[in-house]
C-alpha cells in the first residue's frame, strides 16, 4: 500500500513510519516540522534500511497536498499532524481549531479530489471527559473538557460525515490512551520542547540529570497509593495498531477503536519501575492536584482486539527500558531545537 503519513516526523508518526516500512508499505510524510524533526526521519531510514519520501509543508496548504496526491497517489492516509498541548489549547483555542480542525478539512478535501478513500485518525481518550464508568469503552459518552479535546471530537464527527457521502470511503478513529516509550533501538523517541507536561518524559529527564526532581500532582486520589493512575501504552504497540487498522476488513465504514493496554499504573508505580530499570533514584515532591486532572482511567480495548488482529505486547518494564535507552543515547533529544 502507498500510505501518506501526516505529522510523520513527530513522536508517534516516526514510530508508525518504521512499522509501515517494515510491513512493506511505501511511505510519504508531510510535516511542517513545527514539533517534528527531519532527523527522526533519517533515523527511520537507518532503522528500517528503507527509503521514505518527505515534504516539509503544512497540511493547510492545499497546493502542497494536491501535488502529493497527484504524484504519490496514496491508497490511505494516517493523520497525525496537529497540535496536542492541552494548556496551550486553553490559552489559544483558535490556533487549535485552525490547525487541527482546519488542517483536517484541508486534508479530507484533497483526499476527496484525488479519490483517496481511507483515513486513520489519531484521536484521544481525552474525548470521554469525566468517567461515568471505567474502563472507558467506545460507547462511553463523550464530553471533552478543553479545546484540544473538542478539536479531536469535532474531527471525528467530520470524518464520520465524510464517510457518509460515498460508500467506498473508510474512516478509522483510534482513541489513544497514554502513549509512552521509545523504539527499542534507542534511535527515535519523544522529544518534548521545554519542560515536559507529561509524566514519562519528565521521569526520564530526572533520571538523566536534566531535571532535579519530579513534581507529583496529588497523593490523595482514590487509587491504590493515592497518586493518579493511567493506561500507558508502548508507542511501538500503538504504531502497530495503525497497521492493524489499515489491514482490517472487519471494520465498519466509520469505526472508533480504543487503543490502550487495558491496565492502569499509578505515578508511584511508574516511578519505582523506572528506578528499578535505570538503577537511578528518582527524587520527587508532592504538589497539589493539577487542575483538570482525573484520578484514574484506563481502556477497554476489546473492540480493537476483536476487529483488528492487534494486541499490545509490551509491558511497563519494556516501556521503562526503552525510554531509558532513548534518554541515555539522546540526552538532548534530537539536539536540533
Ligand atoms: P507530535 O507533536 O510529536 O507530532 C505531530 C507532528 O505533526 C509534528 O511532527 C508536527 O511538526 C506536525 N504538525 C503539526 N501541525 C502541522 C501542520 N499544520 N502541518 C503539517 N504538520 C504538522 O505529537 P505526537 O505525540 O506524535 O501525536 C500525534 C497525534 O496523536 C496528534 O494528533 C496528537 O493529538 C495525537 N495524540 C497524541 C497523544 C500523546 O500523548 N502523544 C495522545 C493522544 C492523541
Ligand atoms: C495528558 C493530556 C491529555 C493527553 C494525554 C496523553 C493534559 C492535562 N492532558 O493527560 O490530553 O491525551 O496526556 O498522553 O496534559 N503527573 C505528575 N507529574 C508530572 C506530570 C504528570 O504527577 O510532572 C501525573 C498526572 O497528574 C497524572 C499522570 O501523572 O496523574 C499522567 O499525566 P500525563 O502524562 O500528563 O497524562 P494525562 O494527565 O493522562
Amino acid at each position: 500500500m502507498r500510505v501518506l503519513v501526516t505529522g510523520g516526523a513527530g513522536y508517534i508518526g516516526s514510530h508508525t513510519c518504521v512499522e509501515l516500512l517494515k510491513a512493506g508499505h511505501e511511505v510519504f510524510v508531510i510535516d511542517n516540522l513545527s514539533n517534528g524533526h527531519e532527523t527522526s526521519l533519517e533515523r527511520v531510514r537507518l532503522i528500517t534500511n528503507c527509503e521514505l519520501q518527505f515534504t516539509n509543508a503544512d497540511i493547510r496548504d492545499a497546493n502542497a497536498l494536491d501535488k502529493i496526491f497527484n504524484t504519490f497517489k496514496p491508497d490511505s492516509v494516517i493523520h497525525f499532524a496537529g497540535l496536542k498541548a492541552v494548556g496551550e489549547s486553553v490559552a489559544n483555542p483558535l490556533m487549535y481549531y485552525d490547525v487541527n480542525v482546519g488542517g483536517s478539512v484541508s486534508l479530507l478535501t484533497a483526499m476527496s479530489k484525488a479519490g483517496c478513500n481511507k483515513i486513520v485518525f489519531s484521536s484521544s481518550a481525552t474525548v470521554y471527559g469525566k468517567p461515568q464508568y471505567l474502563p472507558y469503552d467506545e460507547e462511553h459518552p463523550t464530553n471533552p473538557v478543553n479545546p484540544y479535546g473538542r478539536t479531536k471530537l469535532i474531527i471525528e464527527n467530520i470524518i464520520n460525515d465524510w464517510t457518509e457521502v460515498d460508500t467506498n470511503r473508510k474512516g478509522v478513529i483510534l482513541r489513544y490512551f497514554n502513549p509512552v516509550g521509545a523504539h527499542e533501538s534507542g534511535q527515535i523517541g519523544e522529544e518534548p520542547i521545554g519542560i515536559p507536561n507529561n509524566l514519562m518524559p519528565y521521569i526520564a529527564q530526572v533520571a538523566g540529570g536534566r531535571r532535579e526532581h519530579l513534581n507529583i500532582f496529588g497523593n490523595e486520589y482514590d487509587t491504590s497509593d493515592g497518586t493518579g493512575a493511567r493506561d500507558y501504552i508502548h508507542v511501538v504497540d500503538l504504531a502497530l495498531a495503525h497497521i492493524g487498522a489499515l489491514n482490517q476488513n472487519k471494520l465498519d465504514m466509520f469505526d472508533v477503536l480504543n487503543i490502550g493496554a487495558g491496565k492502569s499504573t499509578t505515578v508511584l508505580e511508574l516511578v519505582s519501575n523506572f528506578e528499578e530499570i535505570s538503577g537511578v533514584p528518582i527524587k520527587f515532591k508532592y504538589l497539589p492536584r493539577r487542575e483538570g486532572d482525573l484520578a484514574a482511567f484506563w481502556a477497554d480495548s476489546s473492540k480493537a482486539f476483536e476487529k483488528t488482529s492487534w494486541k499490545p505486547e509490551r509491558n511497563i518494564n519494556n516501556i521503562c527500558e526503552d525510554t531509558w535507552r532513548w534518554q541515555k543515547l539522546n540526552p538532548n533529544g534530537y539536539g536540533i531545537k
Side-chain angles (χ1 to χ4, degrees), residues 10-12 31-32 34-36 58-59 80 84 123 148 152 179:
Y11 172 45
I12 304 169
D31 195 304
N32 67 358
S34 57
N35 198 36
D58 196 297
I59 53 165
F80 295 103
K84 61 167 184 176
S123 188
Y148 165 69
K152 289 292 174 189

Side-chain angles (χ1 to χ4, degrees), residues 50-177:
C50 292
E51 247 325 303
L52 93 179
Q53 298 182 67
F54 167 61
T55 287
N56 179 349
D58 196 297
I59 53 165
R60 291 165 297 172
D61 179 344
N63 291 333
L65 281 179
D66 287 345
K67 203 168 152 198
I68 295 168
F69 278 99
N70 290 333
T71 52
F72 182 62
K73 300 189 190 305
D75 305 296
S76 304
V77 174
I78 304 183
H79 178 28
F80 295 103
L83 304 175
K84 61 167 184 176
V86 173
E88 186 184 54
S89 81
V90 174
N92 199 346
L94 295 184
M95 183 167 85
Y96 272 67
Y97 287 105
D98 182 16
V99 174
N100 291 4
V101 179
S104 300
V105 170
S106 158
L107 179 65
L108 289 164
T109 305
M111 290 177 69
S112 309
K113 269 203 260 176
C116 178
N117 286 324
K118 189 159 177 186
I119 186 163
V120 178
F121 172 62
S122 304
S123 188
S124 166
T126 200
V127 299
Y128 294 119
K130 199 164 183 251
Q132 295 185 8
Y133 58 84
L134 283 169
Y136 291 125
D137 57 25
E138 292 84 354
E139 302 306 314
H140 188 286
T142 48
N143 184 22
V145 296
N146 54 61
Y148 165 69
R150 283 190 276 275
T151 66
K152 289 292 174 189
L153 193 56
I154 291 169
I155 299 163
E156 290 190 5
N157 287 323
I158 292 172
I159 293 174
N160 190 4
D161 291 340
W162 178 78
T163 60
E164 293 285 338
V165 176
D166 183 334
T167 52
N168 292 314
R169 289 182 179 164
K170 256 191 162 162
V172 187
I173 306 301
L174 302 184
R175 290 180 178 157
Y176 308 159
F177 280 65

Side-chain angles (χ1 to χ4, degrees), residues 9-29:
Y11 172 45
I12 304 169
S14 56
H15 288 80
T16 304
C17 287
V18 167
E19 300 308 323
L20 284 167
L21 291 167
K22 275 170 63 182
H25 299 295
E26 279 179 57
V27 175
F28 196 117
V29 168

Side-chain angles (χ1 to χ4, degrees), residues 84 86 124-126 146 148 176-179 196-200 202 214-217 221 227-230 232 267 290-291 293-295 297:
K84 61 167 184 176
V86 173
S124 166
T126 200
N146 54 61
Y148 165 69
Y176 308 159
F177 280 65
N178 287 56
N197 288 315
N198 298 118
L199 179 62
M200 195 58 175
Y202 209 111
L214 169 72
N215 292 313
I216 298 185
F217 302 133
Y221 281 114
T227 63
R230 296 290 184 271
Y232 296 100
V267 175
R290 185 170 64 177
E291 207 188 313
D293 263 359
L294 297 168
F297 62 84

